[in-house]
Amino acid sequence: MRLTKSTDLALRTIMRLAVTGAEPCTARQVAGEMQVPYSHLAKVAARLQHLGLIETRRGRGGGLALTATGRTASVGQLVREFEGVGDVVDCEGDVPCPLRQGCRLRMALRRAQEAFLTSLDPLTVDDLVASPTGPVLLGLVGRAPGGSP
């Protein structure tokens, strides 16, 4: 299973915010550190805010900050929120698969997908930023794209 770019960015963003605690950082700063377009990060941040995982503050001293809910959020649930529900393969696509009525593969893939997500359920954002990941993320803080800290 391959995660969408939005899911990947959501996970990396929430991890980035977790290592700096309550200190807010701007979306432009995070986008630069993650080397992604600001517009994509802004959309992901809006979704994370809607889910109650981050808060955004405008003006001087504002920025993005992780909420208490975000810190203890289940990684499996976060992936489900961003990936949505659906099968790994599109059996009903533009040209429906002729095997779809009696295919055992579809159910096997569905079970594998659920096992994958279930394995992520016990992990929290705090778990993701434990050592050695946290110190690596802290090394990215304030780094210009392609530059040194």
Side-chain angles (χ1 to χ4, degrees):
M1 182 174 161
R2 185 178 189 114
L3 300 178
T4 63
K5 289 181 181 181
S6 292
T7 302
D8 174 44
L9 185 54
L11 290 167
R12 289 189 293 142
T13 299
I14 208 163
M15 290 168 62
R16 163 55 178 86
L17 296 176
V19 296
T20 53
E23 182 182 321
C25 53
T26 68
R28 289 199 188 280
Q29 178 184 357
V30 174
E33 292 166 2
M34 297 294 168
Q35 299 181 11
V36 297
Y38 166 76
S39 59
H40 192 189
L41 185 107
K43 289 176 189 174
V44 167
R47 182 95 184 272
L48 289 169
Q49 180 186 21
H50 177 76
L51 294 170
L53 303 177
I54 69 170
E55 59 183 25
T56 59
R57 289 178 245 150
R58 292 184 175 267
R60 186 178 175 105
L64 309 175
L66 192 62
T67 65
T69 301
R71 188 165 291 287
T72 60
S74 161
V75 174
Q77 188 57 39
L78 180 65
V79 170
R80 282 181 186 90
E81 290 288 343
F82 272 81
E83 291 294 314
V85 292
D87 291 326
V88 176
V89 293
D90 186 11
C91 301
E92 305 294 334
D94 293 337
V95 179
C97 176
L99 302 176
R100 71 186 180 282
Q101 297 303 320
C103 183
R104 296 176 58 124
L105 178 61
R106 185 178 191 178
M107 286 305 296
L109 290 172
R110 188 175 289 151
R111 284 191 303 273
Q113 179 182 20
E114 189 50 41
F116 168 73
L117 294 169
T118 299
S119 72
L120 296 175
D121 283 339
L123 288 171
T124 66
V125 173
D126 273 344
D127 295 332
L128 294 179
V129 296
S131 189
T133 306
V136 172
L137 281 167
L138 283 172
L140 295 176
V141 174
R143 183 182 294 184
S148 303

